[in-house]
Amino acid sequence: MNTKRIVLVLKVLLWLGALAPTVWMGAGAIFGWLGANPIEKLEHVSGMTALIALLATLVVTPVRRLTGWNPVIQLRRPMGLFAFYYVVLHFGVWMGLDLSLELSWITEDIAKRPYITVGFTGFLLLIPLALTSTKRSIRRLGKRWVKLHRLVYVAPALGVVHYYWLVKADVRIPLLMAAIYTALMLLRVPGWLKGRARRASVVERSLAKPVEGREPGNAMAVGAID
Ligand code: HEM
């Protein structure tokens, strides 16, 4: 199978997997299999799916580095957008069904319940990422896009803290999520160190051999160091 076909198959599988929880929740609401507390169930499924999807977006880069198979990067954007979709759904269930769109309860919850404050912050961070996920935004924002999209490392961390905080007794699953998040971040460290070393050597070379018409050290001014 050629690369295009493999990516297409992976994208189809991704769409099927990502939409399955929505179908399950919709069917559950229609056929009444969401249990005694359907709102809690919807919050549970949407929240867990959002967190898993956020962590899944962080898997792409280590997989690309370990396998050397670059086309896998094409799965990252749809994964991120699915994560955002589930966070919006999660937020919508909480706001619309749990709190009946009562503005005073919503603002009070966000202000007074720390796990809600943290979850809400994670949600807010994801909004600019979703809005600037197009190729046009990447071209328009350039280096600022790269900086902005580093928030993708913060949002899952807030999701994990939010989850850990709201669980009352058994914290094993939130701790497992925290361990997965930590491992995914640690896997990135060698790549970041390599990138830093590469940028430092570019600056060093520019200091040693100044380009005609340019002051030594100008590489910094032109943004060789991010
Ligand atoms: C990055 C964003 C977020 C992620 C990844 C996330 C994830 C989760 C997870 C994993 C759960 C636990 C599900 C369970 O086992 O029951 C959960 C529950 C919950 N989340 Fe979020 N969440 C996020 C944002 C929010 C926001 C913005 C709100 C509302 C402002 C919110 C409100 C809730 C509520 C009310 C629950 C259920 C709490 C309970 O069972 O008592 N979350 N969330």
Side-chain angles (χ1 to χ4, degrees), residues 40 43-44 47-48 50-51 54 87 90-91 94 98 110 115-116 119-120 122-123 126 155 159 162-163 166 168:
E40 204 180 283
E43 277 170 353
H44 168 78
M48 282 304 274
L51 189 53
L54 280 175
V87 173
H90 185 61
F91 181 65
W94 170 77
D98 208 352
I110 292 173
Y115 82 85
I116 297 277
F120 187 66
F123 168 54
L126 288 170
H162 163 76
Y163 185 19
L166 68 88
K168 276 131 207 140

